[in-house]
Amino acid sequence: MTKGKEGFSLLDVFAEKEVVKALKADTFVRKHIGDAAAFKKAATVDALMESLVPGDDCVGFQYGVDAVKRAVAFHHLERGKVAIRIAFGYDNEVCRGSKFVVGLLLPIPPVLRPALEKAERREEGFLMKDLKAAGAPTVSFTWEPPSTP
């Protein structure tokens, strides 16, 4: 999904209250609640992210608003909703390279319905579930430290 110079933002097409509601219901997000009262009260993505802590897996929720806006993929359609994947980065250098993916199921906004339905049929673009079948490029790498003589 592309959109002008600023790029795509999930919050431009989905109601923030729907995104917050779905994030609050997610079990991965819920296991990172740092301030239960703030979590319960949160009405914006910003406020919700501030109520979360990295936990042992060091997910970078402090950068969460940007992830929720832009690090998203449309996975599949299900019963009039679209499954969204949001990739959160790492909290600190010890966890460099880690990605944490949260899946949400959101009502399809009317403005996105035609594009998502075309992508589902692979007439124009594709959904993440069809990544391999669509022949999309993937990047993979491995790294090993140099051996000491």
Side-chain angles (χ1 to χ4, degrees), residues 44-119:
T44 65
V45 172
D46 245 341
L48 181 64
M49 293 298 126
E50 288 178 18
S51 73
L52 303 174
V53 294
D56 292 339
D57 48 19
C58 59
V59 59
F61 286 118
Q62 75 270 28
Y63 313 113
V65 174
D66 194 50
V68 169
K69 287 181 178 179
R70 292 181 175 75
V72 300
F74 297 102
H75 192 272
H76 66 274
L77 304 184
E78 181 179 317
R79 298 184 318 273
K81 295 185 177 188
V82 60
I84 306 282
R85 300 297 187 259
I86 302 172
F88 291 95
Y90 55 91
D91 176 59
N92 58 61
E93 287 301 311
V94 172
C95 298
R96 181 180 261 300
S98 297
K99 284 279 185 203
F100 305 92
V101 178
V102 173
L104 307 178
L105 200 56
L106 296 170
I108 300 173
V111 70
L112 284 184
R113 184 172 298 283
L116 290 173
E117 288 174 349
K118 284 181 182 178

